[in-house]
Amino acid sequence: MQAYSLDLRQRVAQALAEPGARQAQVAARFCVSLAFVGKLLRRQRHTGSLAALPGRGGPPRCLDATAQAWLVAQVGRQSDATLAELRDALAADTGQRVSVGVIWRVLDEHGLRRKKSLHATERDTQRVHELRRQ
């Protein structure tokens, strides 16, 4: 992905170097925004480089390594737990309150798939069976 981005930046810079080239025309030609073209020119003027800025790392993790290990072990102990049940168990045991999305991301990183709700058991109610018969 990085190689493609640099190649695109080089092609845009070459197009801008052509006599009579306008930023708006170059942006439309390469299907990029006018802001991208302006920032690319500015970066080239100030640094002499067309390379993208380095990544900033993103926000810090909500769960530390200990809590993540606890969560993975909990799935081993209670394999049929939903995401909400795991979230509640984590809050009860460690005191850390996080969203269901955080639980999902941690388990997804470890290759552990979870059901998101109890839909299967909710579908087996007497009311649902009667509706199906009708």
Coordinates of all heavy atoms in Angstrom, one line a residue, residues 22-63:
R22 N -2.6 23.1 -13.6 CA -3.4 23.7 -12.5 C -3.7 22.6 -11.5 O -4.0 21.4 -11.8 CB -4.6 24.3 -13.0 CG -4.4 25.5 -13.9 CD -5.6 26.2 -14.1 NE -5.4 27.4 -14.9 CZ -5.1 28.6 -14.4 NH1 -5.1 28.8 -13.2 NH2 -4.9 29.6 -15.3
Q23 N -3.7 23.0 -10.2 CA -3.9 22.0 -9.1 C -5.3 21.3 -9.3 O -5.4 20.1 -9.1 CB -3.8 22.7 -7.8 CG -2.4 23.1 -7.4 CD -2.4 23.7 -6.0 OE1 -3.3 23.6 -5.2 NE2 -1.3 24.4 -5.7
A24 N -6.3 22.1 -9.6 CA -7.7 21.5 -9.7 C -7.7 20.5 -10.8 O -8.4 19.4 -10.7 CB -8.7 22.6 -9.9
Q25 N -7.1 20.8 -12.0 CA -7.1 19.8 -13.1 C -6.3 18.5 -12.7 O -6.8 17.4 -13.1 CB -6.4 20.5 -14.3 CG -7.3 21.6 -14.9 CD -6.5 22.4 -16.0 OE1 -5.3 22.3 -16.0 NE2 -7.2 23.1 -16.8
V26 N -5.2 18.7 -12.1 CA -4.4 17.5 -11.7 C -5.2 16.7 -10.6 O -5.2 15.5 -10.7 CB -3.0 18.0 -11.1 CG1 -2.3 16.8 -10.5 CG2 -2.2 18.6 -12.2
A27 N -5.9 17.4 -9.7 CA -6.6 16.6 -8.7 C -7.7 15.8 -9.4 O -8.0 14.7 -9.0 CB -7.2 17.6 -7.7
A28 N -8.4 16.4 -10.3 CA -9.5 15.7 -11.1 C -8.9 14.6 -11.9 O -9.5 13.5 -12.0 CB -10.3 16.7 -11.9
R29 N -7.8 14.8 -12.5 CA -7.2 13.8 -13.4 C -6.8 12.5 -12.6 O -7.0 11.4 -13.0 CB -5.9 14.3 -14.0 CG -5.2 13.4 -14.9 CD -4.0 14.1 -15.5 NE -2.9 13.2 -15.9 CZ -1.7 13.6 -16.2 NH1 -1.4 14.9 -16.3 NH2 -0.8 12.7 -16.5
F30 N -6.3 12.7 -11.3 CA -5.9 11.5 -10.5 C -7.0 11.1 -9.5 O -6.7 10.3 -8.6 CB -4.6 11.8 -9.8 CG -3.4 11.9 -10.8 CD1 -2.9 13.1 -11.3 CD2 -2.8 10.7 -11.2 CE1 -1.9 13.1 -12.1 CE2 -1.8 10.8 -12.1 CZ -1.3 12.0 -12.6
C31 N -8.1 11.8 -9.5 CA -9.2 11.4 -8.6 C -8.8 11.6 -7.1 O -9.0 10.7 -6.3 CB -9.8 10.0 -8.8 SG -10.5 9.9 -10.5
V32 N -8.1 12.7 -6.9 CA -7.7 13.0 -5.5 C -8.3 14.4 -5.2 O -8.7 15.1 -6.0 CB -6.2 13.0 -5.3 CG1 -5.6 11.6 -5.5 CG2 -5.5 14.0 -6.2
S33 N -8.3 14.7 -3.9 CA -8.8 16.0 -3.5 C -7.9 17.1 -3.8 O -6.6 16.9 -3.9 CB -9.2 16.0 -2.0 OG -8.0 16.0 -1.2
L34 N -8.4 18.3 -3.9 CA -7.6 19.5 -4.1 C -6.7 19.7 -2.9 O -5.5 20.2 -3.0 CB -8.5 20.7 -4.3 CG -7.8 22.0 -4.8 CD1 -7.0 21.8 -6.1 CD2 -8.9 23.1 -5.0
A35 N -7.2 19.4 -1.7 CA -6.4 19.5 -0.5 C -5.2 18.6 -0.5 O -4.1 19.0 -0.1 CB -7.3 19.2 0.8
F36 N -5.4 17.4 -1.0 CA -4.2 16.5 -1.1 C -3.1 17.1 -2.0 O -2.0 17.0 -1.7 CB -4.7 15.1 -1.7 CG -3.6 14.2 -2.1 CD1 -3.0 13.4 -1.1 CD2 -3.1 14.0 -3.4 CE1 -2.0 12.5 -1.4 CE2 -2.1 13.2 -3.7 CZ -1.5 12.4 -2.7
V37 N -3.5 17.6 -3.1 CA -2.6 18.2 -4.0 C -1.8 19.4 -3.4 O -0.6 19.5 -3.4 CB -3.3 18.7 -5.3 CG1 -2.3 19.4 -6.2 CG2 -3.8 17.5 -6.1
G38 N -2.6 20.2 -2.7 CA -2.0 21.4 -2.0 C -1.0 21.0 -0.9 O 0.1 21.5 -0.8
K39 N -1.4 20.0 -0.1 CA -0.6 19.5 1.0 C 0.7 18.8 0.4 O 1.8 18.9 1.0 CB -1.3 18.5 1.9 CG -2.4 19.2 2.7 CD -3.1 18.2 3.5 CE -4.3 18.9 4.3 NZ -5.1 17.9 5.0
L40 N 0.5 18.1 -0.7 CA 1.6 17.4 -1.3 C 2.7 18.5 -1.8 O 3.9 18.3 -1.6 CB 1.2 16.6 -2.5 CG 2.2 15.7 -3.2 CD1 2.7 14.6 -2.3 CD2 1.7 15.1 -4.5
L41 N 2.2 19.5 -2.5 CA 3.1 20.6 -2.9 C 3.8 21.2 -1.7 O 5.0 21.5 -1.8 CB 2.3 21.6 -3.7 CG 2.0 21.3 -5.1 CD1 1.2 22.4 -5.8 CD2 3.3 21.1 -5.9
R42 N 3.1 21.5 -0.7 CA 3.6 22.2 0.5 C 4.7 21.3 1.1 O 5.8 21.7 1.5 CB 2.5 22.5 1.5 CG 3.0 23.3 2.7 CD 1.9 23.7 3.6 NE 0.6 23.8 2.9 CZ -0.5 23.1 3.3 NH1 -0.5 22.4 4.4 NH2 -1.6 23.2 2.6
R43 N 4.4 20.0 1.3 CA 5.4 19.0 1.8 C 6.6 19.0 1.0 O 7.8 18.9 1.5 CB 4.8 17.6 2.0 CG 5.7 16.7 2.7 CD 5.1 15.3 2.9 NE 3.9 15.5 3.8 CZ 2.7 14.9 3.6 NH1 2.6 14.2 2.5 NH2 1.8 15.1 4.4
Q44 N 6.5 19.0 -0.4 CA 7.6 18.9 -1.2 C 8.4 20.2 -1.1 O 9.7 20.1 -1.1 CB 7.1 18.7 -2.7 CG 8.3 18.5 -3.7 CD 7.7 18.2 -5.1 OE1 6.7 18.7 -5.5 NE2 8.5 17.4 -5.8
R45 N 7.8 21.3 -1.0 CA 8.5 22.6 -0.8 C 9.3 22.6 0.5 O 10.5 23.1 0.5 CB 7.6 23.8 -0.9 CG 7.3 24.4 -2.2 CD 6.7 25.8 -2.1 NE 5.6 25.8 -1.1 CZ 4.3 25.6 -1.5 NH1 3.9 25.3 -2.7 NH2 3.3 25.7 -0.6
H46 N 8.7 22.2 1.6 CA 9.3 22.3 2.9 C 10.3 21.3 3.2 O 11.3 21.5 3.9 CB 8.2 22.4 4.0 CG 7.4 23.6 4.0 ND1 7.9 24.9 4.3 CD2 6.1 23.8 3.6 CE1 6.9 25.8 4.2 NE2 5.8 25.2 3.8
T47 N 10.0 20.0 2.8 CA 10.9 18.9 3.1 C 11.7 18.3 2.0 O 12.7 17.6 2.2 CB 10.1 17.8 3.8 OG1 9.3 17.2 2.8 CG2 9.3 18.3 5.0
G48 N 11.2 18.6 0.7 CA 11.9 18.0 -0.4 C 11.5 16.6 -0.7 O 12.0 15.9 -1.6
S49 N 10.5 16.1 0.1 CA 10.1 14.7 0.0 C 8.6 14.6 -0.3 O 7.8 15.5 0.0 CB 10.3 14.0 1.3 OG 9.8 12.7 1.3
L50 N 8.2 13.6 -1.0 CA 6.8 13.3 -1.3 C 6.2 12.2 -0.4 O 5.0 11.9 -0.5 CB 6.7 12.9 -2.8 CG 7.0 13.9 -3.8 CD1 7.0 13.3 -5.2 CD2 6.1 15.1 -3.8
A51 N 7.0 11.6 0.4 CA 6.6 10.5 1.3 C 5.5 11.0 2.3 O 5.5 12.1 2.7 CB 7.8 9.9 2.0
A52 N 4.7 10.0 2.6 CA 3.6 10.3 3.6 C 4.2 10.5 5.0 O 5.4 10.0 5.3 CB 2.6 9.1 3.6
L53 N 3.5 11.1 5.9 CA 4.0 11.3 7.2 C 3.9 9.9 7.9 O 3.1 9.1 7.6 CB 3.1 12.3 8.0 CG 3.2 13.7 7.5 CD1 2.1 14.6 8.2 CD2 4.5 14.3 7.6
P54 N 4.8 9.7 8.9 CA 4.8 8.4 9.6 C 3.5 8.3 10.4 O 2.9 9.3 10.8 CB 6.0 8.5 10.5 CG 6.3 9.9 10.6 CD 5.9 10.6 9.4
G55 N 3.1 7.1 10.7 CA 1.9 6.8 11.5 C 2.1 7.3 12.9 O 3.2 7.3 13.4
R56 N 1.0 7.6 13.5 CA 1.1 8.2 14.9 C 0.7 7.2 16.0 O 0.7 7.5 17.1 CB 0.2 9.4 15.0 CG 0.7 10.5 14.1 CD -0.1 11.7 14.2 NE 0.3 12.7 13.2 CZ -0.4 13.6 12.6 NH1 -1.7 13.6 12.9 NH2 0.1 14.4 11.8
G57 N 0.3 5.9 15.6 CA 0.1 4.9 16.5 C -1.3 4.7 17.0 O -1.6 3.7 17.6
G58 N -2.1 5.7 16.9 CA -3.5 5.6 17.3 C -3.7 5.8 18.8 O -2.7 6.0 19.5
P59 N -4.9 5.6 19.3 CA -5.2 5.8 20.7 C -4.6 4.6 21.5 O -4.5 3.5 21.0 CB -6.7 5.9 20.8 CG -7.2 5.1 19.6 CD -6.1 5.3 18.5
P60 N -4.4 4.9 22.8 CA -3.9 3.8 23.7 C -5.0 2.7 23.8 O -6.2 3.0 23.7 CB -3.6 4.5 25.0 CG -4.4 5.7 25.0 CD -4.6 6.1 23.6
R61 N -4.6 1.5 24.1 CA -5.5 0.4 24.3 C -6.3 0.6 25.6 O -5.8 1.1 26.6 CB -4.7 -0.9 24.5 CG -4.1 -1.3 23.2 CD -3.9 -2.8 23.2 NE -3.5 -3.3 21.9 CZ -4.3 -4.0 21.1 NH1 -5.5 -4.3 21.5 NH2 -3.9 -4.4 20.0
C62 N -7.6 0.1 25.5 CA -8.4 0.2 26.7 C -8.1 -0.8 27.7 O -8.3 -0.6 28.9 CB -9.9 0.1 26.3 SG -10.5 1.5 25.3
L63 N -7.7 -2.0 27.3 CA -7.4 -3.1 28.2 C -5.9 -3.4 28.1 O -5.3 -3.6 27.0 CB -8.1 -4.4 27.7 CG -9.6 -4.3 28.0 CD1 -10.3 -5.6 27.4 CD2 -10.0 -4.2 29.4

